[in-house]
Amino acid sequence: MKDKRLLGGGAAVAIVAALGGFGIARWTANEPAATEVASGNAASPAEEEKTPDTVAMTAQSVQQAGIATETINPGGLGAEIVAQATVSASPQGEAIVTARAAGAVTRLMKRLGDPVRAGETLAIVESRDAAQFAADRTAAAAKSTLAQKALAREQYLFRQKVSARVELEQAEAEAASAAAEARRASVAAGAARVTPDGRGVLVSSPISGRVTSENVSLGAFVQPETELMRVADASKIQIEAAVGPTDAQRLTSGDRAIIELPDGRTVEGRVRAVTPGLANDTRSATAVLDVSGSLQPGLAVRVRLLPSRGGTSSNAIVVPEDAVQTLEGRDIVFVRTAQGFKAQTVTIGQRSNGRVEILKGLAAGSQVATKNAFLLKAELGKGAGEEE
């Protein structure tokens, strides 16, 4: 009985596999058409299939797999300054909270990690100093009122030509002095945040954020200089990078920076300033970077600074070493596409500080997989082995 074969060359075989929450779509080489021949003649053998080079993934799958991407630009290794850095709170992004008077802590409204609004009360300290502030304010206000009444009486007597001008002038001076003392006492009580009943002082935060440090317990006796809490706003941060004296001379305000986070993500930043002197212990200058978004103060990161002057630049594209994989004897990077990732063959150049120059095969502005790119390579290799 004559064999029946399917016609229609150019049909692609799509196989979808699941691994770690994402799928692989593999497109193989076109299968040549199988033409029917006379009895006794065998059909021509199919062309050997090639390793697939496309991984189909949704944005959600990319996130679940922990695959990070980065948009790359030309410049070469000589154009970059790689430095270690630390995330720190900006001067406006952290506040030390202290009591304004000595006393015992009677109430705690906030604990470690709680959100705080600017001006919100964090604790109450019962204090004899607060009672003195309140008493001074009340006494000064009473003296000011009395002095104003005496002044009004002297003005009346002077108009009636009963008292001398010198007595009027003395009353005016006493009224002005009493008013000034009342203002001083009122400002002192307000600065200490005296409670309405005059028994304690309110401990409040000058900024909004979260409580990042707490060094107080209920009932503890505290002094005005004692640090009770710290409040930090995670959106008001800066990054301090240590750079050598030669590299510091190449940097200027506004230079672009790329911050590499421990989880593989990257964020953009700008150089705000570079310290003119060198640190005594490290003999390095500090480049202060402005960055948008919320990062945890104290986090250690690596930064790539791209100075606008000096250095050796080239048209080569630089990518992290983790982005370059080897597949069937060729170097590849995985380029982000609308459907997922595509393995792109590249020619690599020199390596330095965990970075690799791409001489050919990759266009500027491409988005490539960096962290966990080996997972994509593993899926391509698995897909080739499963293909029948």
Side-chain angles (χ1 to χ4, degrees), residues 272-298:
R272 184 173 79 234
V274 181
T275 56
L278 303 179
N280 293 329
D281 52 348
T282 62
R283 309 307 302 169
S284 61
T286 301
V288 182
L289 313 179
D290 287 329
V291 60
S292 59
S294 298
L295 296 177
Q296 185 178 9

Side-chain angles (χ1 to χ4, degrees), residues 328-339:
E328 297 179 342
R330 57 193 175 103
D331 294 316
I332 63 169
V333 296
F334 288 93
V335 180
R336 190 77 165 95
T337 64
Q339 293 77 26

Side-chain angles (χ1 to χ4, degrees), residues 242-316:
V243 296
T246 303
D247 291 332
Q249 296 177 1
R250 297 171 52 196
L251 294 172
T252 185
S253 178
D255 283 346
R256 181 168 167 258
I258 300 175
I259 297 92
E260 298 177 348
L261 304 180
D263 61 2
R265 294 183 298 120
T266 59
V267 294
E268 293 279 340
R270 293 286 176 181
V271 176
R272 184 173 79 234
V274 181
T275 56
L278 303 179
N280 293 329
D281 52 348
T282 62
R283 309 307 302 169
S284 61
T286 301
V288 182
L289 313 179
D290 287 329
V291 60
S292 59
S294 298
L295 296 177
Q296 185 178 9
L299 183 67
V301 297
R302 191 176 80 157
V303 300
R304 303 200 315 270
L305 304 170
L306 306 175
S308 56
R309 62 185 181 185
T312 303
S313 62
S314 70
N315 292 327

Side-chain angles (χ1 to χ4, degrees), residues 78-79 87 90 100 102 173 179 201 266 286 324 327 333 338 364 382 384 386:
V87 179
S90 68
R100 304 298 177 87
V201 294
T266 59
T286 301
V324 180
L327 182 66
V333 296
K382 177 182 177 181
E386 291 176 350

Side-chain angles (χ1 to χ4, degrees), residues 187-259:
V187 169
R193 299 293 306 275
V194 176
T195 57
D197 60 6
R199 297 182 55 183
V201 294
L202 303 175
V203 179
S204 60
S205 172
I207 65 172
S208 298
R210 287 186 178 273
V211 179
T212 58
S213 175
E214 187 178 41
N215 305 311
V216 62
S217 300
L218 195 63
F221 190 89
V222 297
Q223 297 292 338
E225 299 84 6
T226 305
E227 177 183 322
L228 304 183
M229 299 181 185
R230 287 198 182 206
V231 176
D233 185 350
S235 65
K236 296 179 180 179
I237 57 172
Q238 63 187 23
I239 294 179
E240 300 176 1
V243 296
T246 303
D247 291 332
Q249 296 177 1
R250 297 171 52 196
L251 294 172
T252 185
S253 178
D255 283 346
R256 181 168 167 258
I258 300 175
I259 297 92

